[in-house]
Amino acid sequence: MRRLIWLISALVFLAGGPLCAAQAAAWQAAVTDVAKSAPDAEIVVVDLASGHVAASRRLIEAGRTLAQPGSTLKPIALYELLEQGKWNPERRIACSRQLHVAGKELNCSHPEIPALDAREALTWSCNTYFAAVAGSVSPAELRGLLERSGLLGATGLAGSEAVAQFREPRTTDEAKLALLGVEGIEVTPLELVRAYRWLGLKFAAHPETKATEIVSAGIRDSASFGMAGAAGLGGVTVEGKTGTASATAGGRTHGWFVGLAPAQNPKVAVVVYLPVGRGADAAGVAGEVLKRSPLRAR
């Protein structure tokens, strides 16, 4: 019942209701146009109000692709911890930009910043900060932090979907690697965009909470001037996060962008998955979609 109440409240905040047919057609035209220069990209736009797919490119593949999500998990886990009062967002973590966990090199690529709080850590996708976040919870808690968003299950948005693979962490280091999205977890683009829709509905239903304030601002900054800044170059404000990961040590990377637009009053959730590339590349594709979208005309 409690879940139903906040969902109804969220839909009330989403003024204007579901996208109309003309808007969906405009979104599809934008996605189709951008896909000409990014033919391998899996792109899905989901209407926040209805949860339905408004536009897509390679939708079937987006339901079957399983890949490590990289840093896209950080906002989801942080929101849950802040909502539960299990993390102090004002706590600052020093970062030398060098991080090694269980033999993996996970160095940060953000500018040199002596210490970061939660909002800054999201903006700059600080691995050191989120390794500390993961170390503050028991390995057994990690699944719960992620699955409440719907991340770890089929979405019903496409036929014959794959389901996320999640290996229960046994140690703190395994929990850190899972939360950083580089080992022990693989998800589909559809699962990830559904999780961010959940995040957008949470923002709408609970706009005054510390969890919403910090996470919304952090991913808005990320898509404005932070690590996902290319997504904001299309002239539409957006809240979002990039992710880069590799399935094998030393192998090629794949890139993600997932976010909400327009920022602070989102109507859609957008995911871009590039089988070869980095998060910044995926953010650039998302920025081009938004540039051509109905949101640009407003």
Side-chain angles (χ1 to χ4, degrees):
M1 179 61 70
R2 183 178 180 183
R3 180 178 177 83
L4 178 61
I5 291 172
W6 77 251
L7 181 57
I8 292 172
S9 298
L11 294 177
V12 170
F13 275 101
L14 294 168
L19 299 178
C20 67
Q23 291 171 321
W27 275 107
Q28 186 60 58
V31 169
T32 300
D33 191 29
V34 171
K36 294 174 184 176
S37 57
D40 293 331
E42 297 171 18
I43 308 170
V44 182
V45 179
V46 170
D47 176 18
L48 225 65
S50 69
H52 297 157
V53 173
S56 66
R57 163 72 178 179
R58 300 173 64 86
L59 179 64
I60 299 302
E61 291 85 347
R64 297 176 181 174
T65 296
L66 283 169
Q68 295 169 347
S71 293
T72 60
L73 301 184
K74 292 172 180 175
I76 298 168
L78 181 62
Y79 185 92
E80 280 288 282
L81 287 172
L82 293 179
E83 190 176 52
Q84 296 172 23
K86 293 182 177 180
W87 184 260
N88 177 6
E90 297 178 2
R91 177 183 174 186
R92 289 189 169 272
I93 303 292
C95 179
S96 66
R97 295 189 294 176
Q98 296 182 351
L99 179 66
H100 292 81
V101 179
K104 284 186 174 288
E105 185 176 287
L106 300 167
N107 295 339
C108 293
S109 57
H110 59 69
E112 187 171 349
I113 304 170
L116 302 92
D117 62 16
R119 177 174 177 172
E120 293 165 337
L122 277 180
T123 301
W124 298 110
S125 197
C126 179
N127 287 340
T128 299
Y129 186 97
F130 282 94
V133 170
S136 72
V137 301
S138 71
E141 289 182 84
L142 186 58
R143 175 184 283 274
L145 291 179
L146 300 176
E147 69 181 357
R148 279 186 283 274
S149 67
L151 180 69
L152 304 181
T155 68
L157 297 176
S160 303
E161 287 184 70
V163 178
Q165 296 181 357
F166 181 79
R167 187 178 68 220
E168 301 290 346
R170 296 166 296 177
T171 66
T172 297
D173 277 354
E174 287 183 354
K176 290 178 180 180
L177 294 174
L179 180 55
L180 295 174
V182 297
E183 188 172 288
I185 183 169
E186 292 183 339
V187 301
T188 69
L190 293 187
E191 289 172 322
L192 196 54
V193 76
R194 180 175 67 174
Y196 271 66
R197 176 185 178 244
W198 169 88
L199 198 59
L201 292 176
K202 282 284 193 176
F203 291 168
H206 308 289
E208 304 302 324
T209 65
K210 184 63 70 173
T212 292
E213 176 191 341
I214 296 298
V215 177
S216 177
I219 60 176
R220 184 169 67 251
D221 290 348
S222 178
S224 176
F225 58 85
M227 300 302 283
L233 298 179
V236 175
T237 59
V238 58
E239 302 172 326
K241 189 76 189 67
T242 54
T244 302
S246 174
T248 58
R252 68 185 188 184
T253 62
H254 54 262
W256 298 89
F257 173 82
V258 60
L260 304 164
Q264 296 181 296
N265 185 28
K267 304 298 182 186
V268 297
V270 180
V271 66
V272 175
Y273 171 76
L274 296 178
V276 179
R278 302 186 64 81
D281 303 320
V285 172
E288 289 298 316
V289 171
L290 292 170
K291 181 179 179 180
R292 294 164 172 77
S293 77
L295 296 178
R296 183 66 186 270
R298 294 187 177 187

